[in-house]
Amino acid sequence: MGDLIVKFSNWIWDTPMLVLLMGGGFILFVYSGFLPFRKLGHAIKLVQGKYDDQNMPGQISSRQALSAAIAATVGLGNISGVAIAINMGGPGAIFWMWMSAFVGMATKYFSCSLAIMYRGKDSNGEIQGGPMYVIEEGMGKKWKPLAVLFSVAGVLGLLSIFQANQLTTVIRSVLLEPNNLDNGETTKWILGIAMMIIVAGVILGGIKRIALVASRLVPFMVGLYFITVIIILIQYIGNVPDMLSLIITDAFTGESVLGGAVGAVIVIGARRAAFSNEAGIGTAPMVHGASKNNEPVREGLIAMLGPFIDTVVVCTLTALVILLTGVWESTENDGVRLTLSAFEMALPGFGKYLLMIAVLVFALSTMFTYSYYGHKCFNYLFGAKKADYYNYFYLITIVAGAVVSLEVVVSFIDGMYAIMAIPTMISTIYLAPKVKAATKDYFNRMANKS
């Protein structure tokens, strides 16, 4: 079963997803008139709350929506995912992660604008957003099978088994193994159950509690990680230009990958970027769709900052630490262990503890937000009355994630992400003209106001 999951994931993430996510994202990027570059300043003003209105329909503010979306995206994809990308694709994979992020900004802009434009109501009459509602409300009932496909893949793919797996690895490597406190499988079970109890305390309180906790945790965790990485970069500051140039040259030569296959480097970069910033997967529209906002364009502009913060800023910082310390060339470690060894080498004695705190906060905040995404998919499929059963299923799988192997976990989640991307990208491209018309109208109104 494990081998089948790995094979399916490798097949779908080769040409099919590259064409859909990178190709589709590039079409949207050009169609928008390069909007992510032109309107970045306006998007930053929006996040600062310049145009917020508490009386709008929805459950949370736009800023909380961005925090919750970033809590789900800025996380282990940036710490473990970058390490996996460098391990498999060499430094050049980072360049293709950047390219994915720029086209991903356009994808997020369109998909999150549509999430406000075409909101639906669940069986309780509560306003909801997300690709399944965009498909049903925007494209019509005949497209409903696509909405169901998205929701089924979401229920399975938005489990936090990867986070549970990597958090268990970090706690064992940093705290337990050095002090001879690790008891192998038993320890994994104990850590899994402990994580399940912590997550239960937050997620059983619904989206408002999740958004509140995320909007407090996210700035703290990004800040802590940022400061630690900057301290490391200062130590190696003279080598930074060389490393940036290595990322760019390796992207086109693929020398660090077996056989020098540039195609392989692009695939690895795109795959890890999608896992990290989730542009085109359809998760962010679910949380942005719950925002107190009736300006679709405004929500789209706020949402498009996600891939920029996530991939261009945070992933690059992690990549530089791994490359500058040289651990990527000299170690057998994979995933989060590779990043741990880089932090320990750069900041002996306490680097690994700082990373452990960052991983702890990253992983938990992602676990909180993912539960909301899966809950929404379950709500769509089975109705609001039964949706809370999903939380119990979700909590049990955290324990499973702590115990199983990394390769199967990554491949299963990647495979489900790919299936979610199909309905998301089809609906986003199909309805893109509606967003284009709304964009023109919005900026005309803004110009008249000023």
Side-chain angles (χ1 to χ4, degrees):
M1 187 68 185
D3 285 351
L4 254 176
I5 290 169
V6 173
K7 273 185 185 150
F8 170 73
S9 177
N10 288 339
W11 168 77
I12 199 162
W13 273 101
D14 203 331
T15 314
M17 279 299 110
L18 204 61
V19 170
L20 189 67
L21 288 176
M22 292 278 272
F26 183 70
I27 289 165
L28 292 169
F29 186 65
V30 174
Y31 184 64
S32 73
F34 308 103
L35 182 132
F37 291 157
R38 290 189 297 111
K39 301 297 181 186
L40 197 61
H42 186 71
I44 292 164
K45 280 186 197 153
L46 291 171
V47 174
Q48 290 164 347
K50 199 171 169 189
Y51 305 96
D52 275 10
D53 181 349
Q54 291 310 315
N55 303 317
M56 292 292 174
Q59 294 157 287
I60 50 176
S61 72
S62 296
R63 192 188 197 152
Q64 283 179 320
L66 183 68
S67 288
I70 289 177
T73 56
V74 173
L76 289 175
N78 307 73
I79 295 177
S80 308
V82 171
I84 292 168
I86 292 173
N87 222 351
M88 291 170 68
I94 305 303
F95 176 84
W96 296 108
M97 284 180 82
W98 294 341
M99 294 304 105
S100 290
F102 287 127
V103 299
M105 285 173 78
T107 307
K108 274 250 170 108
Y109 171 71
F110 279 92
S111 61
C112 293
S113 297
L114 289 167
I116 296 284
M117 233 180 240
Y118 296 107
R119 294 201 248 210
K121 285 189 176 165
D122 64 19
S123 56
N124 271 355
E126 184 83 61
I127 284 187
Q128 299 284 4
M132 55 289 215
Y133 296 99
V134 169
I135 291 164
E136 201 174 316
E137 304 290 324
M139 295 171 75
K141 297 277 187 224
K142 66 176 186 290
W143 293 90
K144 188 164 177 163
L146 268 186
V148 171
L149 177 69
F150 175 84
S151 301
V152 170
V155 165
L156 297 171
L158 295 166
L159 298 169
S160 53
I161 47 180
F162 177 72
Q163 286 70 26
N165 183 289
Q166 294 289 275
L167 185 51
T168 304
T169 303
V170 170
I171 293 171
R172 289 177 69 205
S173 301
V174 175
L175 286 184
L176 305 179
E177 285 166 8
N179 299 310
N180 293 323
L181 296 171
D182 188 64
N183 292 319
E185 292 300 310
T186 314
T187 304
K188 290 182 182 178
W189 281 95
I190 293 166
L191 289 171
I193 291 164
M195 284 185 270
M196 179 180 83
I197 292 165
I198 294 167
V199 174
V202 175
I203 70 170
L204 299 177
I207 180 60
K208 289 185 182 171
R209 190 184 298 170
I210 293 168
L212 185 71
V213 173
S215 60
R216 302 263 164 85
L217 276 179
V218 171
F220 162 76
M221 80 183 178
V222 174
L224 172 79
Y225 190 66
F226 210 79
I227 291 160
T228 311
V229 171
I230 297 299
I231 293 167
I232 296 173
L233 293 189
I234 290 166
Q235 288 184 48
Y236 294 91
I237 197 75
N239 298 334
V240 170
D242 289 348
M243 289 305 135
L244 290 171
S245 123
L246 175 66
I247 288 171
I248 293 164
T249 52
D250 197 59
F252 297 98
T253 59
E255 278 167 17
S256 304
V257 190
L258 293 172
V262 177
V265 185
I266 298 173
V267 168
I268 292 160
R271 184 171 174 173
R272 295 277 55 89
F275 181 75
S276 182
N277 65 45
E278 294 168 26
I281 306 298
T283 49
M286 285 192 266
V287 73
H288 282 284
S291 162
K292 286 180 190 286
N293 195 346
N294 64 357
E295 282 281 10
V297 169
R298 201 167 275 172
E299 199 61 38
L301 288 164
I302 290 168
M304 81 179 185
L305 292 173
F308 184 81
I309 295 166
D310 174 272
T311 309
V312 179
V313 179
V314 186
C315 286
T316 304
L317 292 175
T318 307
L320 285 171
V321 170
I322 293 170
L323 296 174
L324 288 165
T325 52
V327 293
W328 65 287
E329 291 178 296
S330 58
T331 175
E332 290 301 303
N333 288 335
D334 65 343
V336 75
R337 286 176 192 269
L338 183 65
T339 318
L340 264 178
S341 54
F343 271 69
E344 185 54 14
M345 187 170 172
L347 302 170
F350 68 97
K352 63 182 180 184
Y353 295 107
L354 282 173
L355 185 68
M356 188 188 74
I357 295 166
V359 167
L360 184 70
V361 181
F362 276 145
L364 288 174
S365 65
T366 304
M367 286 176 181
F368 302 150
T369 316
Y370 268 26
S371 70
Y372 171 68
Y373 292 156
H375 186 274
K376 275 192 106 140
C377 292
F378 202 87
N379 181 344
Y380 181 80
L381 292 170
F382 303 108
K385 298 237 178 348
K386 293 183 181 146
D388 286 344
Y389 293 127
Y390 172 80
N391 285 337
Y392 302 108
F393 165 64
Y394 181 85
L395 289 167
I396 291 163
T397 61
I398 289 175
V399 183
V403 180
V404 294
S405 92
L406 175 64
E407 189 185 22
V408 174
V409 165
V410 171
S411 296
F412 179 75
I413 298 292
D414 279 356
M416 289 300 125
Y417 266 36
I419 294 170
M420 289 164 68
I422 296 165
T424 303
M425 290 302 289
I426 289 172
S427 59
T428 304
I429 292 167
Y430 183 91
L431 295 166
K434 305 276 186 195
V435 179
K436 179 120 177 183
T439 307
K440 194 174 171 189
D441 172 60
Y442 172 78
F443 284 108
N444 283 343
R445 281 186 288 123
M446 294 305 288
N448 292 340
K449 270 186 192 172
S450 58

